[in-house]
Amino acid sequence: MKLAVFCSGRGSNLKALLMARDNGLLPGAEFQVVVTDNKGAGAMSIARDHGVMAVVVPRSAFHENRDGFERRLVEVLEPYGVELVVLAGFQRVLGATFLGAFPNRVVNIHPALLPAFPGHMVWKAEVDYGVRLAGATVHFVDGGVDSGPIIIQGAVPALSGDGPDELAQRILSVEHRILPQAVAWLAQGRVVLDGRKVSISGLRPSEEDVLQSIVWPPLEIGK
Ligand code: GAR
């Protein structure tokens, strides 16, 4: 499966994907191109270090013209025969022009347990709310804000002393595990979409997998 990865900044999720590929964990995933809307993005050098073409499409060049920006993104992907677009820290909401060109072929990683805390800069909102569990979600992109069908989620505890930066860092560690897993399933053609529901074909969780629930703070009674 031919992939494009879209990033706006640091690119640690891109790096997790490329390391998984380099370690032979993503058979069938061909990374064709990395696209960024920010020419200063760290993701650019990560792509080049791993031998993947990197292209900048500056959003600022299109002013208020989101349609023009999205048409340009489609154009950039055309020569690569892209079959799946992975938004890995891409800080733009994509609309009908782009999504229409890749129906059910765009996935995103979001640093919260959706549907709680959609949108930008969610870590402070989570800390201020006092959540006990935080986490990350990989989902299909459907034109809403972080509202598409969910492929995989990973939870981490929010500790009492956490500020937004500490929580973001802990969430990032689970992002780096679930995004490569989602891409592996997608590249293997095992992700089945039925309305809002996603299933992974051939998944055989053990009873232990199912019963292993995450509770935080840890139980002191009834363990
Ligand atoms: C990640 O935490 C990702 O979940 C988040 O941006 C960060 C990018 O980090 N994405 C969003 O907030 C999308 N709205 P990275 O560039 O190191 O992968």
Side-chain angles (χ1 to χ4, degrees):
M1 180 175 282
K2 292 185 166 59
L3 264 71
V5 185
F6 284 18
C7 306
S8 295
R10 176 180 55 185
S12 71
N13 276 292
L14 171 67
K15 190 169 179 183
L17 285 171
L18 292 171
M19 282 169 59
R21 175 199 70 173
D22 293 350
N23 290 327
L25 301 175
L26 299 180
E30 294 174 35
F31 290 81
Q32 298 289 312
V33 62
V34 168
V35 177
T36 179
D37 57 332
N38 164 21
K39 67 175 169 17
M44 298 287 287
S45 55
I46 293 173
R48 291 192 187 115
D49 289 350
H50 286 79
V52 180
M53 178 72 79
V55 179
V56 188
V57 181
R59 175 68 177 88
S60 50
F62 295 87
H63 306 286
E64 294 308 300
N65 181 2
R66 184 168 96 168
D67 244 28
F69 175 62
E70 294 192 11
R71 274 198 303 274
R72 178 73 191 128
L73 291 173
V74 174
E75 228 172 70
V76 163
L77 298 190
E78 224 152 54
Y80 297 98
V82 167
E83 297 160 283
L84 177 71
V85 178
V86 180
L87 309 183
F90 190 63
Q91 306 298 355
R92 303 277 171 195
V93 175
L94 293 171
T97 303
F98 187 83
L99 298 176
F102 295 95
N104 295 333
R105 290 277 165 194
V106 184
V107 299
N108 177 48
I109 182 143
H110 180 72
L113 293 172
L114 293 170
F117 303 104
H120 286 304
M121 307 305 284
V122 298
W123 307 282
K124 182 174 183 313
E126 291 178 295
V127 167
D128 290 349
Y129 195 93
V131 297
R132 292 301 204 176
L133 287 173
T137 304
V138 181
H139 64 93
F140 284 101
V141 176
D142 68 353
V145 177
D146 302 316
S147 56
I150 291 173
I151 301 169
I152 184 171
Q153 296 187 296
V156 294
L159 305 186
S160 310
D162 277 350
D165 291 348
E166 288 78 18
L167 184 59
Q169 200 54 43
R170 196 168 312 105
I171 293 172
L172 202 59
S173 65
V174 80
E175 292 185 39
H176 295 166
R177 295 164 64 205
I178 65 173
L179 185 59
Q181 177 62 80
V183 169
W185 285 330
L186 287 155
Q188 292 162 0
R190 290 173 57 195
V191 178
V192 182
L193 187 57
D194 178 14
R196 269 214 65 85
K197 302 286 177 63
V198 172
S199 56
I200 312 298
S201 64
L203 204 61
R204 304 266 176 274
S206 66
E207 209 164 302
E208 199 188 331
D209 288 332
V210 175
L211 291 176
Q212 198 186 51
S213 56
I214 303 168
V215 177
W216 195 262
L219 297 176
E220 288 187 337
I221 60 165
K223 279 199 207 192

